[in-house]
Amino acid sequence: MNVALCAAFLEEDVWESRLLAAVFPQRLEITECNSARTLLPLLDLKPFSLLVVVLNGVAGLEAVRQLRQKVPDVPILWISDEDYSLFGYQYRVTHFLRRPVSDMELREAITGCLQLRKEEMQK
């Protein structure tokens, strides 16, 4: 499965490790970006099963807005330091988590997002 990870610079490796641990033993191909601007062109190059946005504040909000416009049907997991769950609802975010995020919360959110994507692809 292809997963795009949009995380703040220097946090990318930490979140990549956490994502891989959360879905083990499944295999993920993770494409890392540190902004929506760098991720948007990649969405035209290959399909993603899940978009994970780990950006705080307005940066996360703007990334989610841009990504949802570009790919309306791909599940988005949004992780932020502030409660943007209302905006998450507005932009049809599949799952919203507020930091700090436990390993169990992360695992449940990713599993739910990937299951939803799998069900949508089978329709």
Side-chain angles (χ1 to χ4, degrees), residues 58-121:
V58 176
L61 176 61
E62 186 60 22
V64 166
R65 184 188 67 75
Q66 291 175 9
L67 293 171
R68 183 48 75 212
Q69 285 179 340
K70 181 82 172 178
V71 286
D73 298 329
V74 177
I76 296 177
L77 169 59
W78 182 12
I79 301 169
S80 180
D81 63 337
E82 297 179 42
D83 187 0
Y84 281 98
S85 56
L86 194 58
F87 288 107
Y89 179 78
Q90 178 182 349
Y91 292 115
R92 298 181 341 274
V93 168
T94 311
H95 220 294
F96 177 85
L97 296 173
R98 186 169 178 194
R99 286 178 153 187
V101 176
S102 72
D103 291 340
M104 181 178 283
E105 288 174 313
L106 186 60
R107 184 177 311 110
E108 289 173 356
I110 292 172
T111 301
C113 289
L114 293 176
Q115 182 63 33
L116 179 65
R117 181 64 172 174
K118 186 177 180 181
E119 291 169 5
E120 288 177 358
M121 296 299 285

Side-chain angles (χ1 to χ4, degrees), residues 5-76:
L5 170 62
C6 187
F9 186 67
L10 298 180
E11 287 189 23
E12 295 160 321
D13 292 339
V14 171
W15 284 102
E16 180 180 10
S17 297
R18 290 191 69 192
L19 290 174
L20 292 171
V23 298
F24 184 80
Q26 290 184 59
R27 294 185 46 163
L28 293 180
E29 179 184 324
I30 299 177
T31 301
E32 296 178 3
C33 299
N34 58 19
S35 72
R37 182 178 34 227
T38 57
L39 178 55
L40 287 169
L42 299 176
L43 297 174
D44 293 326
L45 300 177
K46 66 180 178 179
F48 288 97
S49 302
L50 173 64
L51 306 177
V52 179
V53 177
V54 187
L55 295 171
N56 294 328
V58 176
L61 176 61
E62 186 60 22
V64 166
R65 184 188 67 75
Q66 291 175 9
L67 293 171
R68 183 48 75 212
Q69 285 179 340
K70 181 82 172 178
V71 286
D73 298 329
V74 177
I76 296 177

